[in-house]
Amino acid sequence: MTFSIHGLPVARGIAIGRAVIMGGRVDVAHYFVEPEQVESEINRVREGRNAVIEEIQRLQQTISQMKPKEAPHELSALLDVHLMLLQDRDLIDGVKHWIQDRLYNAEWALTTQLEVLSRQFDEMEDEYLRERKADLEQVAERILRYMKGVASPVQPAPRRKTSQDLLLDDSVDVPLVLVAHDLSPADMLQFKQSVFAGFVTDVGGKTSHTAIVARSMDIPAVVGARSASQLVRQDDWVIIDGDGGVMIVDPSPIILAEYGFKQRQAELERGRLARLKHTPALTMDGQKIELLANIELPDDAAAAVEAGAVGVGLFRSEFLFMNRKGRLPDEDEQYEAYRRAVEGMKGLPVTIRTIDVGADKPLDDGIRDAAHLNPALGLRAIRWSLADPAMFLTQLRAILRAAAHGRVNLLIPMLAHATEIRQTLSLLDFARAELDNRGVVYGPVQVGAMIEIPAAALTLRTFLKYFDFLSIGTNDLIQYTLAIDRADESVAHLYDPLHPAVLQLVAQTIAECNARGKGVSVCGEMAGDVAMTRLLLGLGLRSFSMHPSQILAVKQEVLRADARRLEGWSHEVLAAEDPGRLLSKEETQ
Ligand code: PEP
Ligand code: MG
């Protein structure tokens, strides 16, 4: 039966494929194996199952030697049931299928089959049989525990499948769509080169970091879809509409045809936009607009150049520190990574932001920082760096060294206090002095600050005294101005980029920088939103930094805009009680 689930649109486009449900078991690894690893993965499950069978048999023997009072008959009957379940063909064949046909790793295959069988138990009429589900879960848990103690001989091996054409074809190349309760930015990063054609998560806001990474992958994604991971079943056919923020489950042929059409239209539109790649970003009245890229990893530089970016406006360096099981990259490793990004940009400038972890970007996979009640207001970004000067100095030295290979700007996140600014700049001097002492070559950097806390936007004079340029992080600026957690879907409707208070802080920052001749850009998600381009141009913004996939659409808006004429209208929007209304009116001018 067809039904739809609504969430928040995160990354545009349509994906049609089969659902892969990732359960809430945080301790189970999910990755794809290479075909030659299939046998060893099947063996791992087999060994786990055999070990659990032996364990139960040993227990049965012990029980048989006990007095009836000490070992009730029910216990032995229960163990019989467990043994029976462990030998059940549906379990064994199902797990094999997920490994052989889908190349899931052993743990993922086992939990997937567990889910399939659990559904079957749920549908049973007989209450006794229905209750056997709990036994099944217990035996699967035992196998998983055994496997956890035995290291996987294989490493995660991403595999890319791009086939988008499907007409309910059950071949191996059917696109897969990941449906999960939650994914951390670190999980997302691991999936960056994977097979998935789309993502849906139960939780998350539009500018959560998980959503940001999904957007950088340029595949349809929906977050905040509440109980999607429970309502959708493993292998269900689903459509993800990343523009509308909807997932359609078990679509009828008519709906499939309609979305197939939309998918082809979107492809055509992309083809049309691609022609703008080499067109200079000039407004109709001749204003030159800088369109920069946001990247997460050095290799993303290629996509930035490909999209026609004139530089990187935000390299979120914290992603280099994730998925590393506690071992942070040392100076040389970081230097190599930054250098790769700089060289990848072929002479164009790269703005490297120092590490911004904490809040919804924890370092450890999938673990939210439970120790802090309010992580978004806690030890995040520059606060984290200043709390660990040795780590920060390592990063600063690595960035300075990379600056010897091209144009590098250094960007500091989440500053609010003059003392933090001074501390940061003296650590930067210290890092230079350390390199001088070691006789290591390094290059010059322009130093900038992110304006993403209202306190910073309200004390611009201090910031402009110390920094060469400013970059407005609207994602956090909105979060902290409106007191709305950007990752919390339950308040997503209040997360409003067009709130007059937000717009005023953005407008003042742009105006002040322009008046003082200092560079200013917006690097939050607002910069890549075509609905905001004209407003930001009218407010005087000339530098936008966004995901590479958004550059051409924003360029199209720029080419159609007359920046001077937009000024008066933008200031009307700024003064309005409800700017959103005026924004839609401008369309008809
Ligand atoms: C922002 O806050 O707008 C920003 C660009 O930084 P991040 O999204 O990484 O917090
Ligand atoms: Mg931020």
Side-chain angles (χ1 to χ4, degrees):
M1 190 192 63
T2 304
F3 63 96
S4 43
I5 300 171
H6 292 256
L8 304 165
V10 166
R12 68 213 168 113
I14 310 279
I16 306 175
R18 283 206 184 272
V20 171
I21 313 293
M22 196 186 271
R25 251 175 253 272
V26 284
D27 53 344
V28 170
H30 299 76
Y31 53 88
F32 294 99
V33 298
E34 295 291 354
E36 57 274 18
Q37 294 164 329
V38 162
E39 267 319 301
S40 64
E41 284 302 275
I42 293 177
N43 270 339
R44 282 208 306 130
V45 189
R46 190 178 293 133
E47 280 166 19
R49 187 183 64 116
N50 291 345
V52 176
I53 290 177
E54 276 172 32
E55 193 183 293
I56 293 179
Q57 283 168 340
R58 268 199 308 276
L59 209 61
Q60 275 183 323
Q61 242 176 7
T62 319
I63 286 173
S64 67
Q65 287 153 14
M66 289 161 113
K67 297 186 192 115
K69 238 174 132 186
E70 292 166 344
H73 169 71
E74 288 80 3
L75 184 55
S76 145
L78 189 70
L79 292 178
D80 284 341
V81 171
H82 281 201
L83 275 182
M84 199 184 72
L85 288 169
L86 279 162
Q87 278 145 358
D88 180 41
R89 293 261 29 118
D90 282 348
L91 181 67
I92 299 163
D93 294 346
V95 172
K96 264 194 188 165
H97 154 74
W98 297 116
I99 298 177
Q100 279 168 340
D101 298 349
R102 285 290 174 77
L103 298 178
Y104 290 2
N105 67 305
E107 288 85 351
W108 189 3
L110 180 60
T111 49
T112 301
Q113 187 57 15
L114 172 65
E115 239 185 80
V116 170
L117 296 177
S118 295
R119 297 254 177 197
Q120 290 174 9
F121 276 103
D122 283 342
E123 282 157 18
M124 283 175 183
E125 300 256 315
D126 185 303
E127 199 185 329
Y128 172 80
L129 288 177
R130 230 178 18 243
E131 281 169 5
R132 299 289 61 79
K133 180 177 136 177
D135 297 305
L136 178 69
E137 281 167 354
Q138 279 174 18
V139 298
E141 225 21 270
R142 278 168 176 242
I143 302 178
L144 282 173
R145 232 175 298 137
Y146 177 85
M147 288 199 297
K148 209 174 164 194
V150 181
S152 166
V154 295
Q155 287 303 310
R159 215 165 41 110
R160 188 178 270 286
K161 283 186 212 158
T162 51
S163 163
Q164 283 281 336
D165 66 321
L166 58 102
L167 280 169
L168 298 188
D169 169 9
D170 267 343
S171 71
V172 181
D173 267 347
V174 166
L176 301 177
V177 165
L178 187 68
V179 183
H181 174 66
D182 192 11
L183 291 169
S184 69
D187 290 333
M188 256 313 181
L189 202 64
Q190 280 193 329
F191 288 128
K192 215 164 163 148
Q193 294 301 316
S194 77
V195 301
F196 294 114
F199 291 89
V200 176
T201 58
D202 294 348
V203 298
K206 253 174 121 164
T207 61
S208 62
H209 285 94
T210 300
I212 286 174
V213 184
R215 206 168 291 132
S216 77
M217 291 159 76
D218 199 21
I219 54 174
V222 173
V223 299
R226 304 295 168 99
S227 30
S229 69
Q230 281 159 35
L231 297 172
V232 183
R233 286 174 310 185
Q234 203 69 249
D235 241 21
D236 273 350
W237 278 99
V238 294
I239 297 173
I240 300 184
D241 177 350
D243 300 293
V246 185
M247 168 162 65
I248 302 167
V249 185
D250 198 10
S252 67
I254 294 179
I255 296 178
L256 262 180
E258 187 188 323
Y259 276 92
F261 177 73
K262 280 192 187 175
Q263 220 175 13
R264 285 189 294 279
Q265 292 296 103
E267 280 302 314
L268 286 177
E269 176 59 18
R270 275 178 200 232
R272 271 194 292 274
L273 282 178
R275 292 189 215 129
L276 298 180
K277 186 182 155 187
H278 298 292
T279 311
L282 290 177
T283 58
M284 274 168 19
D285 55 326
Q287 304 277 327
K288 194 170 167 206
I289 309 301
E290 187 178 49
L291 300 181
L292 303 161
N294 290 355
I295 64 170
E296 278 88 41
L297 293 173
D299 294 341
D300 296 341
V305 171
E306 180 56 32
V310 296
V312 167
L314 174 64
F315 176 178
R316 289 182 163 98
S317 70
E318 56 274 12
F319 284 90
L320 295 173
F321 293 69
M322 291 179 186
N323 295 325
R324 306 186 50 99
K325 301 192 170 66
R327 198 193 65 82
L328 300 186
D330 63 18
E331 181 183 320
D332 283 344
E333 191 179 343
Q334 285 188 58
Y335 158 66
E336 287 302 337
Y338 303 139
R339 176 184 163 161
R340 261 208 341 272
V342 170
E343 290 179 346
M345 287 309 291
K346 305 179 194 313
L348 297 168
V350 177
T351 301
I352 304 174
R353 180 177 69 182
T354 58
I355 185 166
D356 178 4
V357 286
D360 72 327
K361 256 184 301 192
L363 273 190
D364 297 327
D365 313 1
I367 302 167
R368 294 278 184 268
D369 195 353
H372 302 285
L373 284 181
N374 235 327
L377 303 181
L379 201 62
R380 229 199 106 172
I382 190 64
R383 303 167 183 184
W384 201 79
S385 298
L386 293 177
D388 188 348
M391 182 280 307
F392 192 39
L393 282 168
T394 303
Q395 179 170 40
L396 292 174
R397 286 192 306 267
I399 296 173
L400 288 168
R401 284 172 61 191
H405 300 275
R407 288 162 63 194
V408 170
N409 303 319
L410 179 69
L411 182 60
I412 313 295
M414 290 273 295
L415 286 164
H417 301 267
T419 47
E420 289 172 321
I421 297 176
R422 287 192 292 268
Q423 260 179 305
T424 302
L425 296 179
S426 54
L427 281 169
L428 183 60
D429 285 341
F430 192 76
R432 286 195 188 99
E434 283 181 313
L435 291 173
D436 283 334
N437 285 343
R438 274 168 38 194
V440 175
V441 179
Y442 63 93
V445 290
Q446 293 274 302
V447 187
M450 291 199 64
I451 300 296
E452 49 187 349
I453 299 179
L458 294 169
T459 50
L460 286 170
R461 209 172 291 173
T462 307
F463 280 77
L464 289 172
K465 177 177 159 197
Y466 289 104
F467 291 103
D468 302 313
F469 68 96
L470 300 182
S471 187
I472 310 175
T474 47
N475 305 336
D476 279 315
L477 190 60
I478 299 167
Q479 154 164 276
Y480 296 125
T481 304
L482 300 179
I484 300 299
D485 187 336
R486 61 195 264 192
D488 184 349
E489 72 282 0
S490 66
V491 284
H493 59 293
L494 298 172
Y495 185 92
D496 181 11
L498 288 171
H499 189 288
V502 173
L503 290 184
Q504 268 175 42
L505 295 175
V506 170
Q508 275 167 25
T509 308
I510 297 170
E512 191 85 19
C513 286
N514 285 346
R516 303 272 216 100
K518 294 257 179 166
V520 60
S521 70
V522 169
C523 63
E525 297 302 292
M526 211 170 176
D529 181 349
V530 288
M532 300 289 173
T533 312
R534 293 173 153 246
L535 179 62
L536 291 171
L537 286 171
L539 293 178
L541 189 72
R542 298 293 178 260
S543 174
F544 297 64
S545 193
M546 66 203 85
H547 298 287
S549 62
Q550 297 166 322
I551 287 180
L552 294 177
V554 171
K555 191 188 277 187
Q556 178 166 269
E557 286 299 301
V558 167
L559 297 174
R560 292 172 179 169
D562 183 327
R564 288 263 153 69
R565 279 190 52 197
L566 286 167
E567 266 175 36
W569 164 78
S570 300
H571 285 89
E572 270 175 47
V573 174
L574 199 60
E577 185 177 312
D578 191 355
R581 284 217 194 123
L582 273 188
L583 200 68
S584 43
K585 254 196 199 161
E586 196 271 340
E587 305 280 299
T588 53
Q589 270 186 9

mmCIF file of all heavy atoms in Angstrom, residues 207 209 212 294 314 316 318 353 356 361 380 450 452 472-477 486 523-525, ligand 1:
data_model
loop_
_atom_site.group_PDB
_atom_site.id
_atom_site.type_symbol
_atom_site.label_atom_id
_atom_site.label_comp_id
_atom_site.label_asym_id
_atom_site.label_seq_id
_atom_site.Cartn_x
_atom_site.Cartn_y
_atom_site.Cartn_z
ATOM 1 N N THR A 207 19.764 22.437 8.775
ATOM 2 C CA THR A 207 21.169 22.848 8.733
ATOM 3 C C THR A 207 21.997 22.089 9.762
ATOM 4 O O THR A 207 23.054 22.542 10.178
ATOM 5 C CB THR A 207 21.346 24.371 8.945
ATOM 6 O OG1 THR A 207 20.831 24.693 10.229
ATOM 7 C CG2 THR A 207 20.653 25.182 7.884
ATOM 8 N N HIS A 209 24.612 19.282 10.848
ATOM 9 C CA HIS A 209 25.810 18.939 10.071
ATOM 10 C C HIS A 209 25.615 17.671 9.261
ATOM 11 O O HIS A 209 26.227 17.501 8.210
ATOM 12 C CB HIS A 209 27.028 18.890 10.986
ATOM 13 C CG HIS A 209 27.477 20.261 11.352
ATOM 14 N ND1 HIS A 209 27.063 20.882 12.498
ATOM 15 C CD2 HIS A 209 28.221 21.160 10.666
ATOM 16 C CE1 HIS A 209 27.574 22.106 12.529
ATOM 17 N NE2 HIS A 209 28.288 22.304 11.437
ATOM 18 N N ILE A 212 24.158 18.883 6.199
ATOM 19 C CA ILE A 212 25.148 19.608 5.389
ATOM 20 C C ILE A 212 26.013 18.629 4.593
ATOM 21 O O ILE A 212 26.273 18.828 3.410
ATOM 22 C CB ILE A 212 26.005 20.514 6.298
ATOM 23 C CG1 ILE A 212 25.147 21.721 6.719
ATOM 24 C CG2 ILE A 212 27.271 20.982 5.600
ATOM 25 C CD1 ILE A 212 25.778 22.629 7.730
ATOM 26 N N ASN A 294 32.154 25.438 -0.411
ATOM 27 C CA ASN A 294 32.364 24.866 0.926
ATOM 28 C C ASN A 294 32.777 23.413 0.721
ATOM 29 O O ASN A 294 32.122 22.682 -0.029
ATOM 30 C CB ASN A 294 31.055 24.860 1.727
ATOM 31 C CG ASN A 294 30.610 26.253 2.136
ATOM 32 O OD1 ASN A 294 31.312 27.235 1.905
ATOM 33 N ND2 ASN A 294 29.436 26.333 2.746
ATOM 34 N N LEU A 314 35.136 27.965 2.522
ATOM 35 C CA LEU A 314 35.051 27.305 3.830
ATOM 36 C C LEU A 314 35.463 25.844 3.681
ATOM 37 O O LEU A 314 34.765 25.051 3.047
ATOM 38 C CB LEU A 314 33.610 27.365 4.368
ATOM 39 C CG LEU A 314 33.337 26.590 5.666
ATOM 40 C CD1 LEU A 314 34.118 27.174 6.826
ATOM 41 C CD2 LEU A 314 31.842 26.590 6.010
ATOM 42 N N ARG A 316 35.796 22.878 6.006
ATOM 43 C CA ARG A 316 35.458 22.486 7.378
ATOM 44 C C ARG A 316 36.468 21.437 7.839
ATOM 45 O O ARG A 316 36.230 20.234 7.738
ATOM 46 C CB ARG A 316 34.037 21.912 7.437
ATOM 47 C CG ARG A 316 32.917 22.934 7.242
ATOM 48 C CD ARG A 316 31.561 22.264 7.374
ATOM 49 N NE ARG A 316 30.484 23.198 7.601
ATOM 50 C CZ ARG A 316 29.665 23.679 6.650
ATOM 51 N NH1 ARG A 316 29.824 23.304 5.394
ATOM 52 N NH2 ARG A 316 28.692 24.521 6.951
ATOM 53 N N GLU A 318 37.330 20.081 10.471
ATOM 54 C CA GLU A 318 37.027 19.092 11.520
ATOM 55 C C GLU A 318 36.746 17.703 10.959
ATOM 56 O O GLU A 318 36.906 16.699 11.654
ATOM 57 C CB GLU A 318 35.853 19.554 12.391
ATOM 58 C CG GLU A 318 34.568 19.881 11.666
ATOM 59 C CD GLU A 318 34.520 21.321 11.149
ATOM 60 O OE1 GLU A 318 35.572 21.982 11.159
ATOM 61 O OE2 GLU A 318 33.455 21.776 10.725
ATOM 62 N N ARG A 353 39.114 26.615 7.744
ATOM 63 C CA ARG A 353 38.593 26.958 9.068
ATOM 64 C C ARG A 353 39.209 26.011 10.083
ATOM 65 O O ARG A 353 39.278 24.805 9.849
ATOM 66 C CB ARG A 353 37.073 26.815 9.094
ATOM 67 C CG ARG A 353 36.519 27.168 10.470
ATOM 68 C CD ARG A 353 35.031 27.117 10.503
ATOM 69 N NE ARG A 353 34.531 25.763 10.392
ATOM 70 C CZ ARG A 353 33.233 25.460 10.362
ATOM 71 N NH1 ARG A 353 32.339 26.422 10.416
ATOM 72 N NH2 ARG A 353 32.831 24.235 10.273
ATOM 73 N N ASP A 356 36.208 22.771 14.181
ATOM 74 C CA ASP A 356 34.936 23.162 14.806
ATOM 75 C C ASP A 356 34.178 21.888 15.178
ATOM 76 O O ASP A 356 33.289 21.457 14.466
ATOM 77 C CB ASP A 356 34.121 24.025 13.826
ATOM 78 C CG ASP A 356 32.753 24.427 14.380
ATOM 79 O OD1 ASP A 356 32.458 24.113 15.551
ATOM 80 O OD2 ASP A 356 31.980 25.054 13.638
ATOM 81 N N LYS A 361 28.464 17.822 16.046
ATOM 82 C CA LYS A 361 29.601 17.279 15.298
ATOM 83 C C LYS A 361 30.577 16.620 16.264
ATOM 84 O O LYS A 361 31.687 17.113 16.472
ATOM 85 C CB LYS A 361 30.326 18.419 14.566
ATOM 86 C CG LYS A 361 30.041 18.464 13.089
ATOM 87 C CD LYS A 361 30.855 19.536 12.401
ATOM 88 C CE LYS A 361 30.624 20.913 12.933
ATOM 89 N NZ LYS A 361 31.194 21.997 12.107
ATOM 90 N N ARG A 380 32.788 24.136 22.185
ATOM 91 C CA ARG A 380 32.709 23.918 20.745
ATOM 92 C C ARG A 380 33.712 24.797 20.041
ATOM 93 O O ARG A 380 34.082 25.858 20.546
ATOM 94 C CB ARG A 380 31.303 24.380 20.307
ATOM 95 C CG ARG A 380 30.521 23.483 19.471
ATOM 96 C CD ARG A 380 29.414 24.261 18.756
ATOM 97 N NE ARG A 380 29.777 24.418 17.354
ATOM 98 C CZ ARG A 380 28.952 24.920 16.431
ATOM 99 N NH1 ARG A 380 27.745 25.325 16.766
ATOM 100 N NH2 ARG A 380 29.334 25.012 15.183
ATOM 101 N N MET A 450 34.738 34.038 11.897
ATOM 102 C CA MET A 450 33.346 33.774 11.544
ATOM 103 C C MET A 450 32.450 34.609 12.445
ATOM 104 O O MET A 450 32.705 34.737 13.641
ATOM 105 C CB MET A 450 33.021 32.290 11.714
ATOM 106 C CG MET A 450 33.747 31.464 10.682
ATOM 107 S SD MET A 450 33.035 29.846 10.477
ATOM 108 C CE MET A 450 31.426 30.198 9.845
ATOM 109 N N GLU A 452 29.132 34.231 13.841
ATOM 110 C CA GLU A 452 28.056 33.246 13.963
ATOM 111 C C GLU A 452 27.422 33.238 15.350
ATOM 112 O O GLU A 452 26.584 32.417 15.653
ATOM 113 C CB GLU A 452 28.527 31.852 13.547
ATOM 114 C CG GLU A 452 29.817 31.401 14.148
ATOM 115 C CD GLU A 452 30.316 30.077 13.567
ATOM 116 O OE1 GLU A 452 29.580 29.399 12.851
ATOM 117 O OE2 GLU A 452 31.460 29.724 13.881
ATOM 118 N N ILE A 472 30.260 35.221 7.428
ATOM 119 C CA ILE A 472 29.051 35.095 8.256
ATOM 120 C C ILE A 472 28.539 33.660 8.200
ATOM 121 O O ILE A 472 28.188 33.145 7.135
ATOM 122 C CB ILE A 472 27.947 36.067 7.783
ATOM 123 C CG1 ILE A 472 28.513 37.484 7.631
ATOM 124 C CG2 ILE A 472 26.763 36.043 8.756
ATOM 125 C CD1 ILE A 472 27.528 38.501 7.047
ATOM 126 N N GLY A 473 28.532 33.012 9.350
ATOM 127 C CA GLY A 473 28.049 31.626 9.451
ATOM 128 C C GLY A 473 26.567 31.680 9.836
ATOM 129 O O GLY A 473 26.212 31.653 11.012
ATOM 130 N N THR A 474 25.732 31.773 8.828
ATOM 131 C CA THR A 474 24.310 31.980 9.134
ATOM 132 C C THR A 474 23.673 30.784 9.842
ATOM 133 O O THR A 474 22.699 30.944 10.571
ATOM 134 C CB THR A 474 23.523 32.288 7.851
ATOM 135 O OG1 THR A 474 23.902 31.348 6.851
ATOM 136 C CG2 THR A 474 23.803 33.692 7.366
ATOM 137 N N ASN A 475 24.222 29.585 9.636
ATOM 138 C CA ASN A 475 23.608 28.408 10.275
ATOM 139 C C ASN A 475 23.579 28.582 11.791
ATOM 140 O O ASN A 475 22.567 28.370 12.453
ATOM 141 C CB ASN A 475 24.390 27.140 9.936
ATOM 142 C CG ASN A 475 24.530 26.940 8.448
ATOM 143 O OD1 ASN A 475 23.721 27.451 7.690
ATOM 144 N ND2 ASN A 475 25.550 26.216 8.031
ATOM 145 N N ASP A 476 24.747 28.956 12.323
ATOM 146 C CA ASP A 476 24.806 29.140 13.773
ATOM 147 C C ASP A 476 24.231 30.483 14.193
ATOM 148 O O ASP A 476 23.639 30.600 15.265
ATOM 149 C CB ASP A 476 26.246 29.005 14.270
ATOM 150 C CG ASP A 476 26.628 27.543 14.427
ATOM 151 O OD1 ASP A 476 25.807 26.781 14.975
ATOM 152 O OD2 ASP A 476 27.710 27.153 13.973
ATOM 153 N N LEU A 477 24.405 31.493 13.342
ATOM 154 C CA LEU A 477 23.873 32.817 13.698
ATOM 155 C C LEU A 477 22.352 32.719 13.910
ATOM 156 O O LEU A 477 21.802 33.297 14.854
ATOM 157 C CB LEU A 477 24.202 33.834 12.604
ATOM 158 C CG LEU A 477 23.915 35.288 12.973
ATOM 159 C CD1 LEU A 477 24.724 35.732 14.184
ATOM 160 C CD2 LEU A 477 24.229 36.225 11.798
ATOM 161 N N ARG A 486 19.636 23.879 15.744
ATOM 162 C CA ARG A 486 19.566 23.633 14.305
ATOM 163 C C ARG A 486 19.406 22.157 13.956
ATOM 164 O O ARG A 486 19.055 21.810 12.830
ATOM 165 C CB ARG A 486 20.813 24.214 13.612
ATOM 166 C CG ARG A 486 22.112 23.602 14.076
ATOM 167 C CD ARG A 486 23.315 24.424 13.664
ATOM 168 N NE ARG A 486 23.916 23.951 12.442
ATOM 169 C CZ ARG A 486 25.103 24.336 11.994
ATOM 170 N NH1 ARG A 486 25.807 25.239 12.672
ATOM 171 N NH2 ARG A 486 25.595 23.867 10.893
ATOM 172 N N CYS A 523 28.969 32.111 4.475
ATOM 173 C CA CYS A 523 29.332 30.726 4.163
ATOM 174 C C CYS A 523 28.338 29.739 4.767
ATOM 175 O O CYS A 523 28.522 28.533 4.691
ATOM 176 C CB CYS A 523 30.750 30.412 4.611
ATOM 177 S SG CYS A 523 30.962 30.535 6.387
ATOM 178 N N GLY A 524 27.277 30.235 5.397
ATOM 179 C CA GLY A 524 26.226 29.341 5.899
ATOM 180 C C GLY A 524 25.327 28.906 4.751
ATOM 181 O O GLY A 524 25.490 29.376 3.606
ATOM 182 N N GLU A 525 24.374 28.055 5.039
ATOM 183 C CA GLU A 525 23.508 27.490 3.993
ATOM 184 C C GLU A 525 22.711 28.567 3.243
ATOM 185 O O GLU A 525 22.261 28.361 2.127
ATOM 186 C CB GLU A 525 22.544 26.472 4.604
ATOM 187 C CG GLU A 525 23.232 25.279 5.227
ATOM 188 C CD GLU A 525 24.107 24.513 4.258
ATOM 189 O OE1 GLU A 525 23.561 23.892 3.343
ATOM 190 O OE2 GLU A 525 25.341 24.546 4.407
HETATM 191 C C1 PEP B 1 27.620 28.261 9.955
HETATM 192 O O1 PEP B 1 27.424 28.156 11.169
HETATM 193 O O2 PEP B 1 26.864 28.913 9.196
HETATM 194 C C2 PEP B 1 28.775 27.606 9.330
HETATM 195 C C3 PEP B 1 29.089 27.822 8.080
HETATM 196 O O3 PEP B 1 29.483 26.715 10.082
HETATM 197 P P1 PEP B 1 28.938 25.249 10.419
HETATM 198 O O4 PEP B 1 27.707 25.011 9.595
HETATM 199 O O5 PEP B 1 30.019 24.281 10.090
HETATM 200 O O6 PEP B 1 28.649 25.328 11.875
#
